Amino acid sequence: MSRNERGDDERSSAMSRGNIVEVQRVTVSFDGFKVLDELDFSIQRGELRFLIGPNGAGKTTLLDILTGKTKPSSGRVVFHGGGESGQESVEVNRLPEHALVRLGIGRKFQTPAVFGSLTVLENLEAAMGFRESAPGLLRGLSAQQEREISETLDRVGLRRRADVRAAVLAHGERQWLEIGMLLVQQPKLLLLDEPVAGMTRRERDRTGELVQEIAKQRSVLVVEHDMEFVRRYASTVTVLHAGRRLCEGPVEEVQRDSKVIEVYLGRAHDAGHARGGAKAPVEAQAEER
Ligand SMILES: Nc1ncnc2c1ncn2[C@@H]1O[C@H](COP(=O)(O)OP(=O)(O)OP(=O)(O)O)[C@@H](O)[C@H]1O
C-alpha cells in the first residue's frame, strides 16, 4: 500500500470513528427503477441532520434502509453503535429490524404509535419494558428506570399529563409522547419522519426545541417538508433528489443553491403547479393556526 493509499485509509477510518452511521453506495431498485442510486450518506455522532427533497426523492426509502426495513439491492449500511462499548461497527443489512431497535436505531413514523387506552405514564413504562428482556419485565422497573421515565416526562413536557389516557391527548402531545417512548429506549440514532406535520405553530416551536435538546445527547435525522421549520431548527441539511444527494451543507447555503431551488424550493412559490407530481415544501403551514 502506498503512503497516499495509507493516508486515505487512515483518513477514512478517522472519519468513520466520528460517524454513527454510514450508507455506502446503496442502490435500492423496485421493478428496475432505482429509488436510491449508489447513495453515499453519513451522520456524525451527536449531529442533528435534516433531510429534504421532492416527493419520490427516496427520503422514506433511506429511513427504511437505515432501520433494516428495506434491504439494499447493492451497497451497505454500517452502524457504528454496536457491541458493549456502543462503538462497534455492525452491518445493518444483516440484522432484523427488531435487533436494530435494540442496538439503538429508533424511528418515529408520521402517525404516532401510542396505546390510546393507556395513560401517558403507562405508555412510557410499556416502551421501557420493550428495552428489557422478558425476565427483566417480570421483575418490574428498577428505581433507575423509573427515574429515567420521570426525566422523560419533563423532557417532552408531559409531566402534568402523566395520568391522562393517550387517546385524549392533543395531536402535538401524542407526537411528543411517542418521542418520549423512543427516548426511554435510549436510541443512539433517532429518525423522525415529518415530526411537525399537522402541528400548530406553538407545537412546532416546542418540537423544534425538543429535537435540538435531544440532539445534544444522540444523533438525530429529521425528514421534513416544512421549510420554515427547517430554516429555523436545522444546521446541516441534505437534499435528496432522484435517489442521489443533490446538495449538503449549512441550511443558508443549501437554500441558495440553484439546483435545490430548481428541483425543490422553487416549487414553494408554485405549489399548485409543481412539476412531475412533486409536492411543494410546506410553507403555508407556517401560518398561525
Ligand atoms: N415498496 C415499494 N415498491 C415499489 N416502489 C416503491 C416502494 N417504496 C417506494 N417506492 C417508490 O420509490 C420512490 C421513492 O419513494 P420514497 O417514499 O422513498 O420517497 P420520499 O422522498 O419519501 O417521498 P415523500 O416526500 O412523498 O414521502 C417513489 O417513486 C415510490 O413510489
Side-chain angles (χ1 to χ4, degrees):
M1 188 188 283
S2 74
R3 194 194 286 177
N4 263 354
E5 279 170 333
R6 201 158 47 239
D8 284 350
D9 231 41
E10 279 160 13
R11 263 194 302 282
S12 115
S13 104
M15 274 170 65
S16 68
R17 271 201 297 277
N19 290 334
I20 186 75
V21 75
E22 291 172 6
V23 171
Q24 300 170 349
R25 290 178 75 89
V26 161
T27 295
V28 173
S29 305
F30 292 120
D31 302 324
F33 174 69
K34 285 184 183 171
V35 176
L36 295 181
D37 188 4
E38 299 201 352
L39 179 70
D40 284 316
F41 173 79
S42 60
I43 303 175
Q44 291 184 341
R45 287 178 194 279
E47 183 184 352
L48 170 57
R49 177 76 63 82
F50 277 68
L51 182 64
I52 64 173
N55 282 53
K59 303 181 296 295
T60 304
T61 307
L62 176 54
L63 295 191
D64 291 346
I65 284 291
L66 291 170
T67 57
K69 186 177 174 204
T70 297
K71 304 292 175 199
S73 316
S74 62
R76 57 180 208 149
V77 180
V78 186
F79 179 60
H80 298 288
E84 290 275 301
S85 64
Q87 307 267 332
E88 276 174 34
S89 303
V90 180
E91 208 168 314
V92 166
N93 337 4
R94 298 204 173 154
L95 293 172
E97 273 182 274
H98 63 86
L100 294 164
V101 174
R102 286 186 197 279
L103 264 182
I105 302 180
R107 175 178 188 176
K108 188 193 163 318
F109 289 88
Q110 246 177 291
T111 329
V114 301
F115 303 106
S117 58
L118 300 184
T119 66
V120 167
L121 183 63
E122 288 165 346
N123 266 286
L124 290 174
E125 287 170 349
M128 177 71 88
F130 180 74
R131 200 173 99 187
E132 293 296 304
S133 58
L137 263 178
L138 292 175
R139 280 197 301 273
L141 299 180
S142 67
Q144 164 66 21
Q145 288 173 323
E146 282 178 9
R147 246 192 328 275
E148 276 179 49
I149 287 181
S150 176
E151 284 164 12
T152 305
L153 273 175
D154 287 329
R155 172 159 289 189
V156 299
L158 292 175
R159 159 80 53 201
R160 290 197 320 195
R161 307 287 272 161
D163 297 321
V164 168
R165 277 194 315 118
V168 302
L169 293 176
H171 172 73
E173 292 175 324
R174 219 169 304 144
Q175 305 286 333
W176 300 329
L177 172 56
E178 198 186 357
I179 291 178
M181 289 168 73
L182 287 166
L183 289 180
V184 297
Q185 291 171 35
Q186 299 189 334
K188 299 180 188 99
L189 172 62
L190 186 59
L191 310 170
L192 302 175
D193 200 354
E194 298 198 42
V196 298
M199 284 191 178
T200 64
R201 172 154 211 145
R202 240 184 110 206
E203 288 173 336
R204 284 199 300 275
D205 287 346
R206 286 191 59 180
T207 306
E209 283 154 23
L210 175 61
V211 165
Q212 286 191 327
E213 192 61 35
I214 292 169
K216 288 181 185 162
Q217 288 176 331
R218 59 200 84 230
S219 314
V220 183
L221 176 64
V222 182
V223 173
E224 199 38 84
H225 277 291
D226 181 336
M227 281 311 295
E228 201 255 357
F229 183 78
V230 173
R231 273 194 280 272
R232 193 138 178 213
Y233 295 101
S235 45
T236 311
V237 177
T238 299
V239 187
L240 216 58
H241 176 54
R244 287 173 167 263
R245 233 167 6 143
L246 182 71
C247 178
E248 189 171 274
V251 63
E252 303 79 22
E253 280 176 27
V254 163
Q255 66 181 357
R256 280 199 303 266
D257 186 286
S258 58
K259 297 187 300 291
V260 178
I261 293 170
E262 160 66 20
V263 307
Y264 187 54
L265 295 181
R267 290 169 184 184
H269 307 292
D270 191 19
H273 304 91
R275 282 158 293 172
K279 178 169 74 184
V282 187
E283 298 273 8
Q285 279 187 8
E287 307 305 315
E288 186 58 74
R289 284 166 201 252

